[in-house]
């Protein structure tokens, strides 16, 4: 018996909710797991789990040990992974956080290519709300620049610049007169990001101010892109967000010279005592992939 094996077994039992499911997950037997849990409780001198034939629940001591131990095991695995990757093939779990639109429409394809290059790395992608501050439980957060975020605990690496503009489907544009001036957009259905149907004011690079309104609003960028593709209205977003639809001819620029001020996307990752091998490899890979897409 050893602390790491028994602690990992305890965590798995709690996560799976039963000895039998945890045994399957760990490729061992329920009796072997039971012995590990008993050994752990003897070493600690407290009961961690209340076990009956029908149920399993944590004691207060078990709840405390579970949460602290899970963090400790994650840190240990990260340390082993980083040490190994320094002198051998890169491996381990890379935890990435990103807003929905960034994760779904920007990162997924790049992650697939990244994993082909580094097959021993596993990725966990977590969806964040736009503007959400970085989480120390994540290895890296991809986000637009957080202007008021100035933490001594993080490193910020700029990835690329982007300028949102207007896009619509050819079918939508065919049903309306040609759009040649920004003022005409007030007569069109703008698909709005958010939770409210209140008009949204937007300022553009040339100083133009527009009040945008429409009959469809959603905090889900995928829904907005789909709505634009089927001709419901005009969408305001970055070209990279709808690049696939542009390449397929499903969306085209509207007033391409009218763009919002340039913004930047950053990778935020925590300052730690050990190397960031997987994180740095991923950030460098993303920078190379977007070099030709954003200028």
């Amino acid at each position: 018996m050893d602390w790491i094996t028994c602690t990992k077994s305890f965590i798995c039992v709690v996560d799976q909710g039963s000895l039998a499911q945890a045994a399957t997950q760990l490729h061992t037997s329920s009796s072997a797991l039971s012995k590990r849990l008993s050994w752990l409780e003897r070493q600690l001198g407290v009961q961690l789990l209340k076990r009956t034939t029908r149920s399993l629940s944590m004691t207060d001591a078990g709840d405390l040990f579970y949460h602290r131990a899970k963090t400790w095991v994650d840190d240990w695995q990260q340390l082993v992974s980083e040490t190994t990757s320094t002198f051998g093939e890169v491996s381990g779990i890379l935890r990435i956080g990103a807003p929905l639109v960034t994760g779904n429409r920007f990162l997924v394809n790049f992650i697939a290519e990244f994993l082909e290059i580094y097959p021993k790395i596993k990725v966990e992608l977590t969806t964040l709300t736009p503007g959400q501050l970085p989480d120390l439980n994540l290895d890296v957060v991809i986000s637009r620049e957080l202007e008021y975020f100035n933490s001594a605990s993080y490193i910020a690496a700029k990835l690329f610049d982007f300028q949102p503009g207007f896009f619509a489907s050819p079918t939508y544009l065919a049903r309306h007169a040609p759009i040649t001036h920004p003022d005409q957009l007030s007569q069109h259905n703008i698909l709005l990001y958010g939770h409210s149907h209140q008009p949204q004011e937007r300022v553009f690079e040339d100083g133009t101010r527009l009040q945008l309104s429409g009959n469809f609003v959603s905090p889900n960028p995928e829904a907005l892109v789909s709505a634009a593709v089927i001709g419901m209205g005009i969408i305001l977003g970055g070209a990279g967000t709808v690049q696939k639809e542009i390449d397929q001819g499903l969306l085209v620029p509207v007033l391409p010279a009218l763009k919002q001020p340039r913004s930047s996307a950053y990778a935020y990752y925590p300052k730690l005592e050990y190397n960031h091998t997987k994180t740095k490899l991923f950030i460098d890979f993303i920078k190379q992939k977007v070099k030709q897409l954003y200028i």
Side-chain angles (χ1 to χ4, degrees):
M1 298 289 181
D2 64 84
W3 279 100
I4 292 180
T5 300
C6 293
T7 300
K8 286 182 176 180
S9 297
F10 168 72
I11 291 171
C12 187
V13 168
V14 174
D15 288 343
Q16 296 298 319
S18 76
L19 282 171
Q21 292 183 33
T24 300
Q25 183 78 15
L26 296 173
H27 305 290
T28 187
S29 65
S30 295
S31 61
L33 278 187
S34 183
K35 290 177 181 178
R36 293 176 190 176
L37 296 178
S38 296
W39 182 90
L40 193 59
E41 289 176 330
R42 286 198 304 272
Q43 300 305 308
L44 293 169
V46 295
Q47 184 179 0
L48 299 176
L49 294 171
K50 297 176 184 177
R51 285 172 274 173
T52 68
T53 55
R54 292 189 175 183
S55 66
L56 182 150
S57 61
M58 285 188 291
T59 63
D60 290 342
D63 184 68
L64 173 64
F65 185 76
Y66 169 78
H67 288 96
R68 295 292 293 274
K70 193 162 189 178
T71 300
W72 173 73
V73 168
D74 286 346
D75 287 345
W76 171 256
Q77 290 175 332
Q78 180 76 10
L79 173 60
V80 171
S81 172
E82 294 292 344
T83 303
T84 303
S85 64
T86 300
F87 299 99
E89 189 172 0
V90 184
S91 63
I93 298 174
L94 178 64
R95 296 175 176 86
I96 304 170
L100 181 63
V101 64
T102 305
N104 281 15
R105 306 202 128 257
F106 173 72
L107 286 180
V108 169
N109 290 334
F110 292 160
I111 288 173
E113 294 183 45
F114 180 76
L115 292 178
E116 288 183 2
I117 299 173
Y118 303 102
K120 290 192 175 182
I121 292 180
K122 296 180 180 179
V123 168
E124 293 179 5
L125 179 60
T126 299
T127 299
L128 307 178
T129 57
Q132 182 176 335
L133 295 180
D135 183 341
L136 283 172
N137 292 318
L138 298 172
D139 296 307
V140 59
V141 168
I142 309 297
S143 167
R144 68 169 57 221
E145 182 178 10
L146 303 173
E147 295 181 3
Y148 302 105
F149 179 69
N150 183 21
S151 172
S153 301
Y154 282 86
I155 298 171
K158 184 177 177 180
L159 296 178
F160 57 86
D161 293 328
F162 62 94
Q163 288 185 278
F166 290 100
F167 300 89
S169 70
T171 55
Y172 177 88
L173 296 175
R175 298 198 305 266
H176 300 84
I179 303 173
T180 58
H181 192 276
D183 290 343
Q184 293 176 270
L185 291 171
S186 63
Q187 304 164 21
H188 286 266
N189 196 47
I190 308 299
L191 306 170
L192 300 175
Y193 176 84
H195 298 273
S196 171
H197 280 286
Q198 294 295 323
Q200 299 178 5
E201 183 179 71
R202 292 289 183 267
V203 180
F204 295 84
E205 192 175 36
D206 62 359
T208 299
R209 290 179 177 268
L210 295 176
Q211 290 286 333
L212 306 178
S213 61
N215 64 7
F216 183 74
V217 61
S218 175
N220 185 334
E222 289 290 341
L224 293 174
V225 173
S226 296
V229 167
I230 64 175
M232 287 178 60
I234 299 175
I235 191 174
L236 175 63
T241 302
V242 293
Q243 190 61 54
K244 179 178 69 174
E245 285 75 15
I246 293 173
D247 292 342
Q248 295 174 351
L250 300 174
L251 293 177
V252 296
V254 175
L255 298 175
L258 184 66
K259 295 182 181 295
Q260 289 191 283
R262 191 178 297 271
S263 298
S264 300
Y266 276 77
Y268 294 91
Y269 59 99
K271 293 180 180 178
L272 299 172
E273 295 298 325
Y274 49 81
N275 292 328
H276 294 271
T277 307
K278 296 189 301 294
T279 300
K280 290 179 178 178
L281 284 173
F282 181 72
I283 291 173
D284 290 342
F285 176 79
I286 294 298
K287 285 182 177 179
Q288 289 299 317
K289 296 299 294 184
V290 302
K291 186 178 294 183
Q292 303 302 320
L293 298 179
Y294 302 92
I295 57 175

